[in-house]
Structure formats: C-alpha cells, structure tokens
Amino acid sequence: MPDSTRAEHPDLTILICLLWQNNMLHQLHREIALQGTLVQDNIIRLFGFFFDSKRVYLILEYAPMGEIYEKLKSAKKFDEKQAATFVREVAKALDHCHKNGVIHRDVKPENLLIGYNDKTKLADFGNACATNSSRRNTLCGTLDYLAPEMVKNETYDHNVDVWALGVMTYEFIVGHPPFEAANPPLTFDRIRSGKFE
Amino acid sequence: MSAQTSPPVNVLQGSSRVNMTPEGSSQVHSKKQNLASPSKEKRYWCLDDFEIGKKLGKGKFGHVYLCRTKVGHKVVALKAIDKTQLIRVSICTMQCQTPHVPNTPILPS
C-alpha cells in the first residue's frame, strides 16, 4: 500500500493490520485446537494454554532427549535398525493424525523429539491443518521435505506427510536429504523431476 | 528466573490425562482427587503457576522453556509465542505464499 493511501485512509491500515492479526490468531487457534485433540504416545501432548498482553503460552509435554536432528548431526547417519525404529514411530504418529483428519505439513527431523524411554515424539503443529475441508493448496513446510504436488502448487492431501517421511527415511540412512541443492529453485527442480544422487 | 537443572523424571507418566486447569492446593495428585473437586471455581493457568527453568530452544515465534508447575511439580515445556512476532511472520508467510513473488523468506524490518 503506498504511503499516500495509508495517510488518507488510516482506518484501512488498521483494518489490514487487524486482518493479519486475525489470520495469525486463527492459525494459532488451529494449532491449539488440532494438537489438543491428538492424544497418542508418539505425539507431543498439548496440556493447555493461556496468554497475557504480550504472549501466548502453550503448555506442552517435555521431551528430555532433544531433537532427532541434533542426534543426526552428531551421528552423521543412523544404522538401519535405529532408522527403522524412528520411522516406525513417526509413521504411527502420522497415522493417528491422518485418522483424526489432521495433516502435519512440516514433518522433518527438527520437529521430531525424543521423550522418556527413547520414544519418538512428533512436535510443532504450527503448520498443521484439518483435512475435513477440501484439498489444500497452501505452500508451507521446509523446502527439502516438500512433496512434488506442493512444489507444483497443486492441491494436496495427507500424502504430503508420507512423502516427507520418505525423504526423512533417506536422510536418516544416507545422512543428507535426497533433493538437497545449492539453492531453492534447484531443489524445486530436483523434487519435480524426482532425481537424486 | 530460577534454574531447574535436575527435574524429576517420569512426572507426566502414568497420568494419561492431565486436566487443562491447575489444581488447588492439594499436594497429592490422583485422578480421583481431581475429579472430586467440583465445588472449586474453574481456574485457568497463568504464568505464576510455573517455575521457569532453562531455555530449551528457539522457535519461529518465540522461545520454549523448561518449566514445572508449582503445585505437583509436573515438568512441562512452555512455548511462549510473541504476539508481535506472530504478526511479523504472518506478513512474511503471506509474501511467501503469494504467487509470482520469489519464495525467499524476507522479514520486514
């Protein structure tokens, strides 16, 4: 919006700000609503939330062993048995999500935590959405884990999580994501063509 | 902020359902007791219910802290989401998701 318009219509500026705010609050509300309903061993529990004038607080289950990503970075890659355990538990978590009509949309090692008894926990439902409406076409998630239909800007469904799980399986065993490239357009090209080294 | 370096393990285990509102003054927590307090006024969580410990990580919108409840000493992770940051990032993601705009996350300064 040009400055002149902004000066002439201060109400409009406020309105747009409010819309943005609402959109974001809506997304946060969605995160709370979606994660709050998901109770499963391999999903981080959301116990409740509250807010003050500055912040919104989410009370979440504590996973003491940290991110799988950190573990992967220090170990470079996992052996097949360990990778299989992780993938199996994430698959269970995703299955539970999908059965309850939730797409996580941001499955990556950074969002996988390790809880008590080495249980893998799926976290961060900030990008999740409900599937009950029609198929989605919002682009979100992290580049390397995007499914081709997301890259092509087509509508997609819960299968994007399955794709991300596949990409992650490759990363666990090989040590780097299959479509990793020097810049985002190149990554997109690789995902579109399905070629990897 | 007091640092809680050695949290008791397995505090959340065994309780399949932790109620969404903080309990009263009772120190012993069992499901039965929680259910058997209908006379208590419904109370919501607030920051004063928690002892804040070390920072666990940094997210897109704010920080995650290790916390425990003052009553019952249940260890949880508290994700603090900054409202101003929320709006800033929302503008950014809007830019990212608009077609014909390069897909690079540029934060408005």
Side-chain angles (χ1 to χ4, degrees), chain A residues 156-185:
Chain A
Y156 56 82
D157 53 19
H158 64 273
N159 285 319
V160 293
D161 284 346
V162 182
W163 173 278
L165 180 62
V167 172
M168 223 163 51
T169 312
Y170 182 98
E171 188 177 356
F172 283 165
I173 294 168
V174 177
H176 60 86
F179 305 113
E180 196 177 44
N183 54 55

Side-chain angles (χ1 to χ4, degrees), chain B residues 19-81:
Chain B
N19 53 345
M20 301 289 269
T21 51
E23 298 89 359
S25 54
S26 64
Q27 285 293 322
V28 188
H29 291 279
S30 66
K31 268 162 126 184
K32 271 182 194 165
Q33 275 196 333
N34 290 339
L35 289 170
S37 55
S39 58
K40 256 177 220 144
E41 210 176 296
K42 197 179 179 187
R43 220 157 69 72
Y44 292 97
W45 288 107
C46 69
L47 206 52
D48 284 341
D49 292 322
F50 297 93
E51 290 169 343
I52 317 265
K54 69 170 180 184
K55 193 193 279 180
L56 292 173
K58 193 178 177 301
K60 204 163 40 168
F61 302 121
H63 303 283
V64 185
Y65 295 96
L66 177 61
C67 290
R68 71 174 183 187
T69 54
K70 283 181 182 168
V71 179
H73 283 185
K74 283 175 182 149
V75 176
V76 292
L78 198 65
K79 188 176 182 179
I81 299 163

Side-chain angles (χ1 to χ4, degrees), chain A residues 130-141:
Chain A
T131 49
N132 50 13
S133 50
S134 58
R135 285 157 67 100
R136 322 277 314 179
N137 59 1
T138 330
L139 183 63
C140 60

Side-chain angles (χ1 to χ4, degrees), chain A residues 98-112:
Chain A
H98 297 161
K99 273 183 184 148
N100 287 281
V102 176
I103 317 178
H104 185 281
R105 298 203 290 190
D106 201 11
V107 181
K108 54 179 176 177
E110 289 93 322
N111 286 342
L112 294 178

Side-chain angles (χ1 to χ4, degrees), chain A residues 20 24 47 52 56 58 60, chain B residues 20 77 79 81 83 90 94:
Chain A
W20 266 328
M24 223 45 214
F47 295 117
D52 57 25
V56 182
L58 304 188
L60 295 158
Chain B
M20 301 289 269
K79 188 176 182 179
I81 299 163
K83 284 183 186 172
S90 97
M94 273 194 163

